[in-house]
Amino acid sequence: LSPTPHVVVVGAGFGGLAVARALAADPVQVTVVDRRNFHTFQPLLYQVATAGLEGESITHTVRGIFHGASNVNVHLGTVANVDFETHELRTAEGTTISWDRLVLAAGAVTATFGVPGVDQYGFGLKSLDDALRLRSHLLRQFELADVNPELIGDGAMTVVIVGGGPTGVELAGALAELFSLVLVKDYPHLDLSRARVVLVEAGDRLLPMLHPRLSEHARKTLEARGIEVLLGETVEKATDGSVGLASGTSLTTRTLVWAAGVRAHPLAEATGLPLDRSGRIVVGPDLRVPGHADVFVIGDLAAARDRHEDLLPQLAPVAMQQGRHVAAELRREAHGRRPGVFRYRDKGSMATIGRNDAVAQLPGGIRVHGFLAWVLWLNLHLVYLIGFRNRASVLVDWGWNYLTYDRGARIITEAGPT
Ligand SMILES: Cc1cc2nc3c(=O)[nH]c(=O)nc-3n(C[C@H](O)[C@H](O)[C@H](O)COP(=O)(O)OP(=O)(O)OC[C@H]3O[C@@H](n4cnc5c(N)ncnc54)[C@H](O)[C@@H]3O)c2cc1C
């Protein structure tokens, strides 16, 4: 590397931030490029969508994160393409940025697998915009039903969630609470017993990454809270008023939330680099792109494999550990050492099912559910949230919501016609 090499990091998500933070005291110049000027803590997006938290509480400006890091620059821009010959990337805004080392960490986007109508009528939950749009839409349905209760029969108070992974399960639990604890007071003239949350999962159980007993606990708890769980069902099509299942069942709804999968960000394809079947960029054991020793890919964008050749999951801890690994690789390289191998340390998985209940699978095969798992979940999310202000405001909101059974952020941000 030249005396102060320029490391360009594309994406200020979990992976990109981990690289830049780890390099903040190193003799390198770092530029973090992101299309947004803030980082989003995606695991809590569903709480914004269900009015439990303000959007600002789960986001942090990228510039604010690097206050005091004199070797880190922040660049607001959307990377459109990468030229590996000239070592330059170009943004949609027309800027050219050259690098000595490049780290691609642009994450993933919602994958609807071409199911007819889902792109048009479904709501994703991948960004703050998605969460705010869903929240506004949901609350508006209740406003409309309040004026014209006949709309309840048209699905105004029915939410269909597709995908029984952590996002689907957590969203379903939070929606059931929003309806039964809060909206029931907001809309005293509506019969909230007619509000439905339907969770559709193609597999034979929820939360397939967890032990079957935890999946079963999650299903039973959700059902006890009034959520209809449909297992072994796939969505065939969506219209503006219904969701059609492969079994022939048609669900009347005005709100379809698609939590059934993500795919690598389209930037992966735009680079022209070899992709694996899931559309992620193929990387070697040290997370470099084969044939491009100066380019690393991490997080949801990378097809990295473990020692059994299994693809690593698209999870925040994978992205963060990979980010720290890249920083260590650059140091190794600067000291003339041979490349290392990235090893993911799985610290377990968890999902909350709503108030006082969660499921967690910890290292060593330890399984926890119920109140203890819920407390673990709360603590872990607070620890990983960036910024003291965010942690404080989330803690206050959670405390308030817990004690008062209220949700303060019931704001419809999109105004009606002027
Ligand atoms: C609703 C939801 C819930 C989740 N819950 C959990 C959970 O509980 N636990 C868990 O471990 N994981 C969870 N995940 C997955 C986790 O959020 C991802 O695995 C993680 O964010 C991946 O990190 P990343 O750095 O690869 O990408 P991201 O964190 O997605 O960051 C990508 C960044 O790149 C930027 N970007 C994209 N394209 C461009 C471009 N062309 N130019 C410039 N910038 C660009 C984006 O703005 C973004 O800031 C969840 C994801 C979602 C959507």
Side-chain angles (χ1 to χ4, degrees), residues 11 13-15 34-35 42-43 77 79 105-107 125 167 265 299-300 314-317:
F14 286 101
D34 201 292
R35 53 194 287 265
Q42 294 173 32
V79 175
L125 194 57
T167 302
H265 190 282
D300 288 359
Q314 287 166 300
L315 290 174

Side-chain angles (χ1 to χ4, degrees), residues 278-354:
S278 69
R280 306 192 227 171
I281 299 174
V282 174
V283 292
D286 58 353
L287 305 179
R288 286 179 167 86
V289 175
H292 294 276
D294 50 350
V295 182
F296 296 85
V297 187
I298 58 172
D300 288 359
L301 197 68
R305 292 178 184 275
D306 64 15
R307 66 183 82 192
H308 309 294
E309 284 301 300
D310 291 327
L311 212 50
L312 290 177
Q314 287 166 300
L315 290 174
V318 175
M320 288 190 284
Q321 290 179 30
Q322 290 180 328
R324 291 193 287 270
H325 174 86
V326 167
E329 278 299 295
L330 291 174
R331 270 176 227 137
R332 234 191 305 270
E333 188 183 317
H335 291 104
R337 295 201 210 111
R338 282 153 45 116
V341 171
F342 173 70
R343 292 263 182 257
Y344 172 53
R345 286 179 49 227
D346 185 355
K347 295 184 184 159
S349 315
M350 52 176 65
T352 174
I353 316 168

Side-chain angles (χ1 to χ4, degrees), residues 32 81 86 93 99 122 151 163 189 224 283 338 369 372 390 411:
V32 179
N81 58 60
T86 59
E93 294 79 5
W99 80 82
L151 293 176
H189 305 301
V283 292
R338 282 153 45 116
H369 63 77
L372 179 61
N390 283 357
I411 307 297

Side-chain angles (χ1 to χ4, degrees), residues 240-292:
D240 61 349
S242 71
V243 172
L245 304 180
S247 61
T249 307
S250 177
L251 302 164
T252 303
T253 180
R254 294 178 151 216
T255 311
L256 161 65
V257 186
W258 191 261
V262 293
R263 63 183 166 86
H265 190 282
L267 183 64
E269 208 173 343
T271 62
L273 294 170
L275 309 179
D276 82 334
R277 276 193 302 176
S278 69
R280 306 192 227 171
I281 299 174
V282 174
V283 292
D286 58 353
L287 305 179
R288 286 179 167 86
V289 175
H292 294 276

Side-chain angles (χ1 to χ4, degrees), residues 212-231:
R213 279 202 201 136
L214 294 179
S215 301
E216 193 52 14
H217 175 80
R219 184 185 65 78
K220 282 188 179 152
T221 308
L222 288 178
E223 286 181 345
R225 293 178 181 197
I227 292 146
E228 299 161 52
V229 179
L230 305 182
L231 297 175

